[in-house]
Amino acid sequence: MAAKLDMENLVSLCRRRGFIFQSSEIYGGINGFWDYGPLGVELKKNIKDAWWQDMVRNPPPGPDGQEIAMVGLDCSIIMNPKVWEASGHVGGFSDPMVDCKETKKRYRADQLEVIAGHHEIIPTLYYAYTKGDEALLKDALKKAEKAARASGKKLAGTPLGEAFMTVAKDAARLAVIVGPDVDVPGTLTEPRAFNLMFQTYVGAIQSEENVAYLRPETAQGIFVNFKNVLDSTRVKLPFGIAQIGKAFRNEINPRNYTFRSREFEQMEIEFFCHPSESRRWYEYWRDVRKNWYTTLGIKSDNLRPREQGKDELAHYSVGTTDIEYMFPFSEEPQELEGVAHRGAFDLTAHMNKSGEDLRYMDEDAWNRDAANRTTNSFKEWLKTNPPKEEIEKYQYVPHVIEPSAGADRFTLAVLCEAYSEDKVPDSKGKLEERLVMKFHPRLAPVKAAILPLVKKDGMPEKAESLYRELKKHFKVEYDDGGAVGRRYRRQDEIGTPFCITIDGDTLKDDTVTIRDRDTLQQRRVPMAGVLDEIRKALET
Ligand code: GAP
């Protein structure tokens, strides 16, 4: 089994080679914000393009093999604040948080645990740490062991972790919790709700009535445009609306590199269907979305779809599957994407708040059943008091299935998955260490590097002409600096799937060698066939 990736190595590579930088680094950075460098922006763009191509322009066939209807949107980040009142974000989009009065640090209360179960030895104290954070757990254990030693005892076995939220319910027990970053008890406050939306003002006057929010999800822009899309296109239910865009959350505890950021990008689909069909569509999207990750090179062992328990579900959801990934910074899989059955919650909420009728009228079904009725007017027919179930065959609030993925989270998973260290022979056949990013060719920031073997004898000219041809189609690099082995290593480190070398034979017969990053195999192919070779790899 491959050794677990040390995140520090990945972070260092990402900075060194221009994948990810700390935002505003020359001013000391800003917690929870990241910049993508020249290679990172290519990688993330490839991810978003792959999603758009595979989910919006050419989604897989539906459960019965039927064509899936999907359209896109690009909504504004700041919307009428009533959107967020209707969606429940103003009243309820909050995490329980706890402050440390001593260090002024803030923690998510539901992510804190305390060391418990050793009260015969450390009779009164509880030591807190963040779940999944090995360094903080180690610190907490050290403190507990020290306390045990002070009373002449030793901690036996592995102490149990207990949820902070449970312990903190009792004021007396809260008072004896030692916070994660202090040595004395009683510095943690009671958990309090904290709204995660960033607030701003629209217009010149900073008053209560001008308050607006940076969107915390792209989904609501889709719901409030549901009617616009129906009225302006020929889509019929079932169909989906997709959007890629920035979202902002004032996360209490941004952590694990870009995993939990305060500014991030989402790739969301709201798929609208008849309520009676919603379970089928939920299962369809759950499977489609999980498979998508594996087609892009995520090993299925590292992907863990997990159906949420009833107590975990958001208030509107009848079912949610979290597609989780085994990130190296945690012992437990972490969410990449949520596929949620949202029922009629969102459209109903916006219908109630805005007064707009967001019900769907299924004209096809209505016309199909014309022979069974005496009138063709839906309004007239309603006057005959048909049963509710009959009406809902034709007019209803659609149910929604929402596959909601994080572009940054998936980018991070792709970086973790790609990072490999192996040994390859150098020019003299001696094995040397190599760091290689094994990106799927579709996602690789640079698809091919064009390398003249030497900087003379007409090789640079040949290489440049190939480079100019290929760059019309893909991101490629021209590299003539240093020994060819060193140039291979440089390309391996940024995950370029193909290195194309122009040598003496190229000048004679117009063939080049293509070196495969993963197998190291070199094949001789006609220069005119290189474009197709790369295209083929991008299609697999
Ligand atoms: N519309 C539903 C929604 O927004 P969510 O589970 O809160 O659901 C969906 O977010 C996805 O957005 C997550 O699975 C994750 O990939 C990404 N995401 C959420 N918060 C994030 C954060 N603070 N940093 C990076 N990505 C985040």
Side-chain angles (χ1 to χ4, degrees):
M1 206 173 89
K4 203 164 154 183
L5 164 63
D6 181 341
M7 281 302 286
E8 275 183 30
N9 291 343
L10 180 70
V11 173
S12 145
L13 171 86
C14 285
R15 192 183 176 289
R16 185 159 44 84
R17 299 310 309 265
F19 282 98
I20 299 175
F21 306 126
Q22 205 183 5
S23 163
S24 347
E25 193 183 276
I26 61 170
Y27 291 104
I30 169 165
N31 199 6
F33 297 88
W34 300 93
D35 295 339
Y36 288 84
L39 288 178
V41 74
E42 293 287 345
L43 173 64
K44 195 169 147 192
K45 184 174 182 311
N46 292 342
I47 284 173
K48 290 186 287 182
D49 287 351
W51 186 86
W52 196 263
Q53 175 59 27
D54 299 347
M55 298 296 129
V56 186
R57 294 196 172 149
N58 184 31
D64 296 333
Q66 72 271 45
E67 188 80 357
I68 299 271
M70 183 77 69
V71 294
L73 273 186
D74 183 10
C75 306
S76 64
I77 284 171
I78 293 180
M79 298 165 76
N80 188 314
K82 287 191 185 132
V83 169
W84 307 111
E85 287 167 22
S87 67
H89 285 82
V90 169
F93 189 53
S94 51
D95 282 334
M97 56 113 210
V98 54
D99 284 322
C100 176
K101 291 177 266 185
E102 179 83 14
T103 62
K104 310 292 177 223
K105 281 199 175 170
R106 186 165 269 186
Y107 310 94
R108 279 265 300 268
D110 55 342
Q111 288 173 352
L112 283 183
E113 278 191 348
V114 296
I115 290 178
H118 278 256
H119 285 191
E120 68 293 354
I121 297 170
I122 33 172
T124 52
L125 298 179
Y126 295 89
Y127 296 91
Y129 57 93
T130 304
K131 206 172 154 198
D133 185 326
E134 282 168 33
L136 282 184
L137 172 62
K138 239 190 223 166
D139 276 0
L141 278 172
K142 254 194 219 155
K143 285 187 248 176
E145 271 156 13
K146 196 170 158 197
R149 269 201 309 279
S151 25
K153 310 209 170 119
K154 246 181 122 187
L155 283 189
T158 312
L160 298 175
E162 194 176 337
F164 170 85
M165 295 283 270
T166 315
V167 179
K169 275 186 200 148
D170 174 350
R173 295 213 288 165
L174 173 64
V176 292
I177 294 176
V178 178
D181 298 287
V182 291
D183 293 319
V184 286
T187 67
L188 296 182
T189 62
E190 268 178 55
R192 279 185 303 230
F194 171 84
N195 197 297
L196 297 183
M197 278 197 296
F198 280 101
Q199 231 180 270
T200 185
Y201 298 93
V202 173
I205 302 171
Q206 301 203 346
S207 61
E208 197 53 37
E209 59 279 17
N210 288 342
V211 165
Y213 305 97
L214 303 193
R215 69 178 175 204
E217 60 172 17
T218 63
Q220 297 305 323
I222 298 180
F223 293 124
V224 301
N225 276 296
F226 172 66
K227 205 166 172 319
N228 284 340
V229 171
L230 275 182
D231 294 348
S232 61
T233 67
R234 297 177 58 233
V235 285
K236 291 177 181 170
L237 249 68
F239 76 96
I241 307 181
Q243 171 160 226
I244 297 181
K246 289 264 183 175
F248 302 82
R249 295 183 191 174
N250 197 1
E251 296 283 359
I252 293 149
N253 191 9
R255 66 198 164 107
N256 292 328
Y257 203 20
T258 58
F259 178 81
R260 192 178 299 287
S261 308
R262 289 181 164 139
E263 175 177 341
F264 53 95
E265 242 172 319
Q266 290 186 313
M267 309 187 287
E268 296 200 294
I269 294 170
E270 306 303 328
F271 193 80
F272 302 92
C273 61
H274 191 280
S276 64
E277 299 257 279
S278 59
R279 179 137 299 266
R280 215 153 70 101
W281 283 109
Y282 166 62
E283 286 162 7
Y284 165 82
W285 280 109
R286 183 194 58 198
D287 298 344
V288 163
R289 293 301 306 143
K290 181 187 171 264
N291 292 342
W292 186 72
Y293 291 105
T294 46
T295 61
L296 291 172
I298 301 290
K299 285 183 216 82
S300 43
D301 278 5
N302 286 339
L303 269 184
R304 313 278 170 93
R306 186 181 67 90
E307 186 106 22
Q308 283 189 5
K310 285 266 169 289
D311 52 330
E312 283 179 90
L313 291 176
H315 55 292
Y316 51 71
S317 185
V318 217
T320 289
T321 296
D322 285 341
I323 300 175
E324 298 185 328
Y325 175 73
M326 278 309 298
F327 283 96
F329 51 72
S330 172
E331 292 300 325
E332 285 164 24
Q334 304 287 326
E335 179 183 330
L336 270 186
E337 167 163 354
V339 181
H341 181 308
R342 291 175 78 119
F345 174 80
D346 303 272
L347 288 179
T348 308
H350 288 300
M351 200 154 71
N352 293 342
K353 181 94 183 165
S354 68
E356 281 281 337
D357 188 355
L358 301 178
R359 286 172 301 177
Y360 179 74
M361 180 68 207
D362 188 339
E363 302 285 350
D364 290 348
W366 173 250
N367 292 332
R368 195 182 52 225
D369 294 349
N372 309 337
R373 295 182 312 258
T374 51
T375 173
N376 248 352
S377 154
F378 186 66
K379 258 193 198 155
E380 287 301 314
W381 179 68
L382 285 181
K383 284 184 195 156
T384 67
N385 282 331
K388 194 167 160 268
E389 312 80 73
E390 276 297 301
I391 301 175
E392 285 178 353
K393 270 199 217 161
Y394 311 120
Q395 189 185 46
Y396 53 90
V397 182
H399 274 199
V400 171
I401 310 303
E402 180 196 64
S404 172
D408 305 85
R409 256 186 214 179
F410 184 41
T411 304
L412 183 58
V414 167
L415 285 162
C416 292
E417 191 82 12
Y419 189 102
S420 324
E421 286 167 359
D422 59 12
K423 285 202 169 83
V424 295
D426 65 11
S427 56
K428 295 186 184 97
K430 202 175 128 229
L431 284 183
E432 62 173 18
E433 301 272 347
R434 128 175 129 143
L435 199 171
V436 53
M437 295 299 282
K438 293 191 171 171
F439 295 124
H440 186 285
R442 259 184 107 185
L443 304 184
V446 178
K447 307 298 182 207
I450 295 78
L451 320 173
L453 188 62
V454 288
K455 274 202 252 183
K456 55 182 187 185
D457 301 337
M459 290 182 209
E461 290 76 8
K462 266 271 181 223
E464 262 177 41
S465 82
L466 180 62
Y467 163 72
R468 286 213 196 91
E469 182 51 35
L470 294 178
K471 88 194 241 276
K472 292 180 202 156
H473 306 273
F474 325 105
K475 167 89 181 146
V476 288
E477 277 191 0
Y478 177 87
D479 187 358
D480 63 4
V484 81
R486 282 203 30 221
R487 284 182 267 164
Y488 285 157
R489 279 316 151 267
R490 264 206 300 271
Q491 295 299 333
D492 288 344
E493 239 189 45
I494 63 169
T496 306
F498 304 108
C499 283
I500 298 157
T501 308
I502 281 54
D503 55 21
D505 288 345
T506 314
L507 304 175
K508 288 186 227 144
D509 60 8
D510 259 345
T511 61
V512 295
T513 61
I514 297 193
R515 169 191 181 265
D516 182 290
R517 175 198 67 199
D518 301 339
T519 62
L520 302 176
Q521 269 174 4
Q522 302 205 17
R523 286 177 302 128
R524 218 152 176 108
V525 299
M527 200 154 123
V530 171
L531 181 61
D532 275 349
E533 290 281 336
I534 302 175
R535 276 210 180 114
K536 234 191 293 157
L538 299 185
E539 277 162 15
T540 52

